[in-house]
Amino acid sequence: METEKTSEELVRGQAEIWQHMFSFADSMVLKCAVELRIADIIHSHDSAPITLSQIASCIGSPSPDIPYLTRIMRLLVRKNIFTVHHPSDGGESLYGLTHVSKWLLHGSDLSLAPMIVMENHPWTVAPWHCFSTCVKEGGTSAFEKAHGRNVWDFASQNPEFNNMFNDGMACTARIITRAIMTGYKGGFGCIESLVDVGGGTGTVVAEIVKSHPHIKATNFDLPHVIATAPLIDGVCHVGGDMFKEIPSADAVFMKGATNKAVTKDLIANKSTK
C-alpha cells in the first residue's frame, strides 16, 4: 500500500514538473494573440463572435497557417482568454471576446497589450535565464548579466527598447491613474505644484493635470526617456537623475516606489533643487 502511495506521489510530482516546465507557453501564446491583434479583429466585428477564417483573413498575411492558428486559439480558449461556440449544424466554430481579452485591445485606455509585448520580448526575457549566474557570481542584476549594462543604460542606447519599455510603462500608468483619480478625488485640491519622479513619458501627471488644471506639473525622468515624451498642456518635461536632484514642488509623486529610504529622502526634499 505504501509503495502504491509513493508511486502515485511520484507520478503527481512528475505531472507538476511538466506543468512548470511549459508554463512559459501561456505568456508566449498571449504575446502571439497581441501581435496578431486577434482581440482587435473580433472587436472590429462589433464584438460579435466570428469564425477562424474571418480572423485569419484579417491578420495581414497572404497565406496564414490555419491549423497553426487553430492550435493557438485552442489554448487561448482553454485559458478563458477567448470563447468558442461550436454550432450544432456542423458550421464553423465562432470565437468571441471575454472580460480578459478586452485587456488586449490596442489603443484602449485600459489595455495591457504594450506591457505584454514588452515583458515577453527576447531582450526582457533574457535576464530570466541568468538567475543561476546571479546566485553564483552576484554583484550585478540579472539584466546586467544578460546585456552587459543596466536597464537604463541599455534603454538610453537602444531606441527600440526605450520606446517599447516606455509604452509598456505608460499603459500600466493609465490603469493606475484611473484608480488614483477615482479614489483620491479631493487630494490634489490643495496642491499648486507637483513633480512626478520617474514619470516616464508623462501619462500619469497628464491625467492629474487634466482633472486639476490649476496644478503646475513637472514630469521628471532620465533624459533619454524625456526625449520621447509628447507635448502635454500644463506639463513641463525635465530630464535628470533622481539620485542627484529633482525639481522642487509642493508634492512629489512616485508611482510604484519600492525603496522606502529613497522615497523618504525625496519627500523630505533633501535631494531637490
Side-chain angles (χ1 to χ4, degrees), residues 2-251:
E2 187 64 31
T3 303
E4 285 185 21
K5 182 179 179 181
T6 302
S7 178
E8 288 177 5
E9 289 177 346
L10 282 172
V11 172
R12 240 185 349 260
Q14 180 190 182
E16 290 180 21
I17 290 296
W18 280 100
Q19 288 177 337
H20 293 312
M21 193 188 310
F22 287 103
S23 60
F24 71 90
D26 294 343
S27 59
M28 291 298 109
V29 171
L30 188 62
K31 179 191 176 191
C32 173
V34 171
E35 292 176 332
L36 295 179
R37 293 178 176 261
I38 295 174
D40 297 274
I41 292 170
I42 298 174
H43 182 69
S44 68
H45 288 74
D46 297 323
S47 297
I50 60 176
T51 66
L52 199 67
S53 299
Q54 289 175 299
I55 294 173
S57 68
C58 297
I59 63 175
S61 171
S63 55
D65 190 320
I66 301 299
Y68 211 114
L69 180 60
T70 301
R71 293 195 292 273
I72 293 292
M73 292 304 294
R74 184 181 298 129
L75 180 53
L76 289 168
V77 168
R78 177 69 181 81
K79 294 297 179 178
N80 298 314
I81 295 170
F82 295 105
T83 62
V84 64
H85 171 68
H86 304 290
S88 57
D89 60 5
E92 283 194 74
S93 298
L94 297 171
Y95 295 90
L97 299 175
T98 67
H99 67 285
V100 178
S101 49
K102 290 178 181 178
W103 287 90
L104 307 183
L105 295 172
H106 290 77
S108 169
D109 286 341
L110 296 179
S111 174
L112 286 171
M115 178 59 82
I116 292 168
V117 171
M118 187 268 283
E119 288 290 359
N120 292 285
H121 192 281
W123 284 327
T124 318
V125 172
W128 293 87
H129 293 276
C130 298
F131 282 3
S132 59
T133 304
C134 288
V135 171
K136 291 177 181 178
E137 300 176 358
T140 59
S141 68
F143 195 97
E144 290 178 84
K145 295 292 186 186
H147 300 293
R149 67 199 80 169
N150 65 45
V151 63
W152 314 117
D153 289 340
F154 187 79
S156 70
Q157 299 173 38
N158 188 323
E160 183 181 351
F161 177 81
N162 185 44
N163 290 332
M164 180 178 66
F165 185 87
N166 290 339
D167 288 345
M169 294 298 101
C171 82
T172 56
R174 292 188 193 95
I175 298 167
I176 292 172
T177 306
R178 175 168 294 194
I180 291 173
M181 300 310 293
T182 299
Y184 196 61
K185 292 179 181 178
F188 296 97
C190 61
I191 298 173
E192 294 185 4
S193 60
L194 174 72
V195 56
D196 186 355
V197 179
T201 53
T203 303
V204 171
V205 76
E207 290 300 315
I208 293 174
V209 170
K210 188 185 298 182
S211 298
H212 304 278
H214 71 280
I215 294 178
K216 181 180 178 181
T218 300
N219 177 50
F220 182 75
D221 212 311
L222 293 168
H224 69 267
V225 177
I226 294 301
T228 65
L231 293 174
I232 303 172
D233 289 339
V235 176
C236 175
H237 295 295
V238 176
D241 184 343
M242 64 178 280
F243 293 105
K244 295 179 179 178
E245 59 181 11
I246 65 171
S248 60
D250 292 338

